[in-house]
């Protein structure tokens, strides 16, 4: 849940770089999926940019399995 809170705070501050970077550094697929669900349903500016980063990180983690 910490990832979601951190990313939402970054988005609220219009810091897309930090929000995307947090997603790209996350190692927990569950945390990423929770974040994806939250971003998908919200209407925050910049959410699509972070959604792209979350999907990219999920693909990276899948490749490591």
């Amino acid at each position: 849940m910490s990832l979601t809170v951190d990313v939402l705070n970054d988005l609220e501050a219009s810091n897309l770089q930090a929000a995307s970077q947090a997603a790209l550094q996350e190692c927990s697929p569950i945390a990423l999926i929770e974040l994806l669900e939250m971003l998908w349903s919200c209407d925050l500016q910049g959410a699509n940019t972070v959604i792209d980063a979350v999907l990219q990180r999920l693909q990276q983690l899948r490749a490591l399995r």
Side-chain angles (χ1 to χ4, degrees), residues 28-40:
S28 169
I30 294 170
L32 288 164
I33 290 168
E34 288 175 352
L35 176 60
L36 183 60
E37 288 176 337
M38 178 69 70
L39 292 173
W40 197 271

Side-chain angles (χ1 to χ4, degrees), residues 8-62:
L8 291 176
N9 285 337
D10 288 337
L11 282 176
E12 187 174 81
S14 297
N15 192 346
L16 293 178
Q17 180 69 22
S20 295
Q21 196 61 30
L24 290 171
Q25 293 176 350
E26 181 58 48
C27 293
S28 169
I30 294 170
L32 288 164
I33 290 168
E34 288 175 352
L35 176 60
L36 183 60
E37 288 176 337
M38 178 69 70
L39 292 173
W40 197 271
S41 64
C42 77
D43 190 26
L44 287 172
Q45 185 174 5
N48 285 339
T49 300
V50 183
I51 287 172
D52 291 343
V54 169
L55 293 173
Q56 178 183 347
R57 184 60 180 154
L58 285 169
Q59 287 178 327
Q60 290 170 349
L61 292 173
R62 182 173 181 232

